[in-house]
Amino acid sequence: MRRGSNNLPSTGTWKTIFKIAWRNVVRHGKRTAFTIITMCFGIGLYIGLDSIFKGMDKAGLENIINLTDSSVRISTDKYEAERNSLPLDYGLSKIPELEKYIMSNDGVEAITLRTRFLGQLSNGMDSIPVTGIAIDPVTDPKVFTIPKYIEGNWFSENSQANEIVLGKRLAGELGAGINDWIILSSRTKYDTQNADDFLIIGLIDAPEVSLNTHGMLLSFKDAEEFLDLEELRTEIAVRMKNRINIEDLMKDSKIVAQNIQKEFPGLSAQSFEEVGKQFLEISKSKSKATGVIIFTILLIAGVGIANTVLMSVYSRIREIGVLRAFGLQRKDISKLFLVEGAIIGVIGSLAGVILGIIFVSYLIFFGIPAEKMMGSIDMTGLYMGKIIYGHWSTKTIIVGAIFGFIVAVFAGSFPARKAAKMEVTDAIHFI
Amino acid sequence: MEKILELENVVKTYTKGDEKINALAGVNLSITKGEFTALVGPSGSGKTTLLNIIGCLDSPSVGNIFYNGSLLSNLTENELSDYRKEHISFIFQSFNLIPVLTVRENVELPLVIEQKLSKEEIKARADDILKAVGLKGKEDRFPRELSGGQEQRVAIARALVKEPFIILADEPTANLDSHTAEEIIDIMKNINSTRNATFIFSTHDLLVQKHARRVITIRDGFIHSDAKKEE
């Protein structure tokens, strides 16, 4: 059986090129292994770091939704403009009408009213500034999951005493515990200073630094008198029905926020995405930083591959000459070394993906004990829960593998070109 | 006798800096099928350049080269490569086997590159030639598992497997002891006579020269003498 001759390598030639490339990769096991380990480490680290950062992003957004601001946060424009100082002013009006409208939106599950204020907690010796939130103890747990993280008790409807719940770390700083009395001081709605004793009924030990270190809750029942609130409510927090994908929840929340702003001019309705804007910006910077790290590692791996293949070229000059003498063209020689780079790339990428998957699996199931590792460092804007869990991303794994492979082929292309440029007469040293 | 190779006034000039070196200064040569020819001469005489040009690894600066009547002097590098692939084979002084391929794979390599025969035909051809060079039973060994003489036999088998017009050998016995060298010459001679394969080899080895039926001496880029021995 005769086959037509053409300039393209046949399956048999490809098979031989692959066979020679593969066996050379195996033959120089040590230097190949070093290159593969570098690649594996680079890709594995990329997948792992991305998993941590994505996990932190997800947990950070979940904290906004579940612990601090809810899916949609509504207040007046004026209040929003002065939010940083948490004024006891610019309260919401026509609240029943507003509540009715919000609940009529698709996807809204529950709402609650809140009033934030600035205060000081003192144990008689030391005082610490706190962010107080006056809440409705009945509706608040329908929107926020804070009671899940309470040590001690939640507010009881019939309690006669002034009760507060505060961050566990904050209580620790004050040397206070459950059933201890503590002095809360704050300016009232009428800008007069007020102070009173409060009974600590619970401690918040949530995966949210701001709540743990300077968060404090009290019921509207106690806040009315203490702050002279006179029914002042500065914000409405909205819980949306759960969606498996956080991006879908983001869309739902955005629609509700837009509807409210349209219907009630003068109100500021912000979805959790907008609330977490600063947080997400930091997250983007983290991704860029990760990109730089990974690029550097893969650059090192790329140089390693180029070096490995180049060493292979130099140690096989005669072989190149022989293959050229027997009729392989320059481009075929180039392919031989490109395949060698590609084989290293495939093995390195696969090993990196496997390492990455192991790393991510560990992060998903066990997480990183961030609190133990970093103590009480407050990294503003970054999620710093007790344990940081990883997030699975198939896209990242595929991108990591493809990127690693491309780097390998690209790195292999330089020595491959060098091999192809060799003059056959010089290469074989004879003829 | 059938002429398979003809060189007409072949000149090869290299430039080294400002200096021009005439490696071949007008060579006229005919080779007929089945020749067993030795190229001899001192180092730098032009043997290597002549073998380069005969082997289509290089083109002459001036002059013509005909293979089986076809003019090859003006072919491009890729066309020369294709021509080599089908019609010319090489045996190297250092054997130059591919270390990661087995004996069989090394021998089959030119046919795989040539892309003309089926897998079964390639295998049959390789079996046949390996038997002819006395390497039956060693097909699955790697070059590192062979002696120098066995490696050169593989190189001969690899050169012969595609039944080329011409086999060019560069000092084929230079790296072998005298006993093994004699064995290799016997094999080449045997193949030359039984298969009518054409051999041209450059050599300094008097033993090889003794067995050659034609000895061409080159000096300073010219053919100094061309002696044919009577059978």
Side-chain angles (χ1 to χ4, degrees):
Chain A
M1 192 183 85
R2 292 224 148 216
R3 290 178 190 173
S5 175
N6 57 43
N7 286 332
L8 296 169
S10 68
T11 319
T13 315
W14 267 117
K15 207 173 152 186
T16 303
I17 284 175
F18 184 81
K19 194 188 287 173
I20 294 174
W22 168 255
R23 287 185 188 169
N24 272 301
V25 166
V26 175
R27 186 179 168 212
H28 302 291
K30 273 185 192 164
R31 71 179 181 215
T32 307
F34 280 123
T35 312
I36 286 172
I37 287 168
T38 315
M39 272 200 82
C40 169
F41 180 68
I43 294 169
L45 193 69
Y46 166 64
I47 294 170
L49 279 180
D50 185 78
S51 168
I52 294 173
F53 287 143
K54 281 205 165 79
M56 282 170 76
D57 289 352
K58 189 168 175 266
L61 289 175
E62 281 172 356
N63 277 359
I64 291 174
I65 296 166
N66 296 322
L67 297 169
T68 59
D69 296 275
S70 78
S71 303
V72 184
R73 189 183 70 190
I74 303 146
S75 49
T76 62
D77 280 341
K78 284 181 181 172
Y79 182 84
E80 202 55 47
E82 293 186 30
R83 174 175 282 279
N84 285 344
S85 60
L86 300 182
L88 287 174
D89 202 352
Y90 314 120
L92 295 161
S93 57
K94 298 179 186 169
I95 291 174
E97 187 189 335
L98 187 55
E99 285 179 323
K100 198 177 166 194
Y101 176 76
I102 294 167
M103 289 306 292
S104 71
N105 276 272
D106 279 346
V108 174
E109 188 175 289
I111 54 173
T112 190
L113 290 159
R114 287 182 146 199
T115 300
R116 294 178 197 248
F117 63 98
L118 295 174
Q120 293 261 342
L121 273 180
S122 171
N123 56 7
M125 302 271 286
D126 302 309
S127 67
I128 295 176
V130 292
T131 304
I133 311 172
I135 62 160
D136 178 337
V138 178
T139 57
D140 208 79
K142 289 177 183 166
V143 175
F144 296 98
T145 57
I146 296 171
K148 220 170 99 182
Y149 303 100
I150 294 283
E151 285 176 19
N153 297 310
W154 187 243
F155 302 96
S156 62
E157 281 181 50
N158 307 318
S159 169
Q160 296 303 309
N162 283 339
E163 293 176 335
I164 59 167
V165 166
L166 67 156
K168 191 177 179 183
R169 208 179 288 169
L170 173 62
E173 299 273 320
L174 290 165
I178 296 167
N179 293 328
D180 285 344
W181 287 86
I182 201 153
I183 304 160
L184 172 64
S185 61
S186 176
R187 300 195 84 81
T188 67
K189 185 182 164 189
Y190 296 104
D191 214 18
T192 56
Q193 191 68 27
N194 194 10
D196 207 346
D197 288 333
F198 281 79
L199 176 68
I200 301 171
I201 58 163
L203 299 177
I204 306 165
D205 190 15
E208 163 58 45
V209 174
S210 64
L211 216 49
N212 283 8
T213 54
H214 51 269
M216 185 206 73
L217 306 179
L218 71 163
S219 69
F220 277 124
K221 180 169 73 70
D222 297 333
E224 280 296 340
E225 194 186 326
F226 179 66
L227 299 169
D228 289 331
L229 282 184
E230 294 175 332
E231 304 287 322
L232 175 81
R233 303 292 182 259
T234 55
E235 67 188 55
I236 295 180
V238 180
R239 169 162 284 273
M240 300 296 297
K241 279 178 187 150
N242 210 12
R243 298 285 292 257
I244 292 168
N245 198 331
I246 200 155
E247 276 79 27
D248 292 332
L249 187 63
M250 225 177 244
K251 276 182 207 160
D252 293 351
S253 306
K254 220 171 179 174
I255 291 167
V256 171
Q258 281 166 355
N259 289 346
I260 294 166
Q261 288 213 157
K262 214 170 161 188
E263 194 67 24
F264 296 91
L267 286 189
S268 164
Q270 294 188 333
S271 69
F272 68 92
E273 187 190 2
E274 289 168 89
V275 172
K277 210 171 176 180
Q278 190 194 352
F279 165 81
L280 289 171
E281 285 298 323
I282 292 170
S283 166
K284 272 184 197 164
S285 313
K286 281 184 298 186
S287 298
K288 280 180 192 162
T290 319
V292 171
I293 294 167
I294 299 321
F295 180 77
T296 311
I297 292 170
L298 285 179
L299 191 72
I300 295 166
V303 171
I305 292 164
N307 187 46
T308 304
V309 179
L310 195 62
M311 281 168 79
S312 189
V313 169
Y314 281 129
S315 64
R316 288 155 60 200
I317 290 175
R318 280 191 176 182
E319 188 178 315
I320 294 167
V322 171
L323 292 168
R324 290 289 312 280
F326 278 102
L328 279 192
Q329 295 184 1
R330 289 184 191 274
K331 59 183 179 187
D332 300 320
I333 299 296
S334 175
K335 276 171 201 156
L336 178 67
F337 290 97
L338 268 181
V339 167
E340 214 168 298
I343 288 172
I344 296 171
V346 167
I347 299 172
S349 296
L350 274 177
V353 163
I354 291 168
L355 183 71
I357 289 173
I358 293 169
F359 194 8
V360 171
S361 304
Y362 179 84
L363 290 171
I364 288 172
F365 290 110
F366 303 104
I368 297 175
E371 199 176 53
K372 274 188 195 165
M373 285 166 70
M374 303 195 187
S376 57
I377 299 168
D378 183 3
M379 297 172 77
T380 311
L382 285 179
Y383 169 77
M384 277 292 123
K386 278 182 179 174
I387 295 173
I388 297 171
Y389 288 100
H391 179 72
W392 178 269
S393 169
T394 309
K395 190 181 149 195
T396 303
I397 291 168
I398 292 169
V399 166
I402 291 174
F403 189 59
F405 177 73
I406 290 171
V407 166
V409 173
F410 185 70
S413 69
F414 294 105
R417 228 176 293 158
K418 197 169 181 64
K421 273 184 187 166
M422 278 179 193
E423 289 302 328
V424 57
T425 47
D426 294 334
I428 44 178
H429 276 310
F430 106 77
I431 309 199
Chain B
M1 292 289 274
E2 188 191 343
K3 240 185 231 178
I4 58 161
L5 170 69
E6 208 167 355
L7 269 70
E8 274 182 6
N9 195 29
V10 166
V11 174
K12 183 69 187 179
T13 309
Y14 294 108
T15 310
K16 206 174 185 183
D18 293 337
E19 200 187 349
K20 281 192 172 179
I21 300 161
N22 273 342
L24 293 178
V27 171
N28 291 290
L29 177 68
S30 289
I31 302 286
T32 51
K33 189 164 173 56
E35 275 193 22
F36 199 68
T37 301
L39 286 179
V40 298
S43 295
S45 59
K47 297 193 302 288
T48 300
T49 308
L50 183 58
L51 281 172
N52 275 344
I53 286 172
I54 294 173
C56 290
L57 296 171
D58 210 348
S59 303
S61 309
V62 176
N64 293 321
I65 172 165
F66 297 91
Y67 261 104
N68 266 5
S70 307
L71 178 66
L72 300 187
S73 322
N74 301 325
L75 294 188
T76 63
E77 193 185 86
N78 282 350
E79 286 167 337
L80 282 177
S81 188
D82 283 343
Y83 198 84
R84 266 195 322 264
K85 185 158 67 179
E86 292 194 34
H87 303 300
I88 302 166
S89 271
F90 303 87
I91 300 168
F92 305 100
Q93 179 180 334
S94 311
F95 324 130
N96 288 3
L97 301 178
I98 309 291
V100 293
L101 298 181
T102 61
V103 166
R104 171 184 293 288
E105 287 164 346
N106 264 289
V107 172
E108 288 178 349
L109 185 68
L111 296 177
V112 173
I113 293 172
E114 199 187 31
Q115 303 175 31
K116 279 192 166 177
L117 301 178
S118 70
K119 209 175 162 185
E120 294 73 28
E121 284 171 311
I122 289 173
K123 189 179 177 296
R125 281 261 198 113
D127 282 341
D128 182 38
I129 199 71
L130 281 168
K131 194 178 166 193
V133 297
L135 284 173
K136 199 167 183 286
K138 294 187 166 56
E139 294 89 342
D140 296 326
R141 292 198 183 175
F142 284 93
R144 63 176 178 276
E145 298 167 320
L146 302 175
S147 66
Q150 286 170 330
E151 281 195 76
Q152 196 58 301
R153 287 181 202 207
V154 178
I156 292 169
R158 180 177 67 181
L160 287 165
V161 74
K162 66 183 178 187
E163 297 172 359
F165 283 164
I166 205 159
I167 297 140
L168 303 171
D170 167 51
E171 300 278 0
T173 56
N175 283 349
L176 304 173
D177 61 66
S178 58
H179 175 71
T180 315
E182 197 133 9
E183 269 182 22
I184 292 299
I185 296 163
D186 284 346
I187 289 168
M188 283 165 58
K189 274 193 88 173
N190 185 33
I191 286 164
N192 168 254
S193 55
T194 55
R195 296 177 182 236
N196 204 22
T198 310
F199 282 86
I200 302 177
F201 38 87
S202 71
T203 187
H204 286 100
D205 189 340
L206 293 173
L207 187 75
V208 181
Q209 289 177 35
K210 195 179 87 184
H211 283 87
R213 288 200 296 276
R214 183 180 176 187
V215 178
I216 299 170
T217 310
I218 301 179
R219 273 201 192 135
D220 302 325
F222 291 101
I223 293 182
H224 184 259
S225 66
D226 186 349
K228 287 181 186 172
K229 293 178 191 170
E230 294 300 320
E231 287 295 313

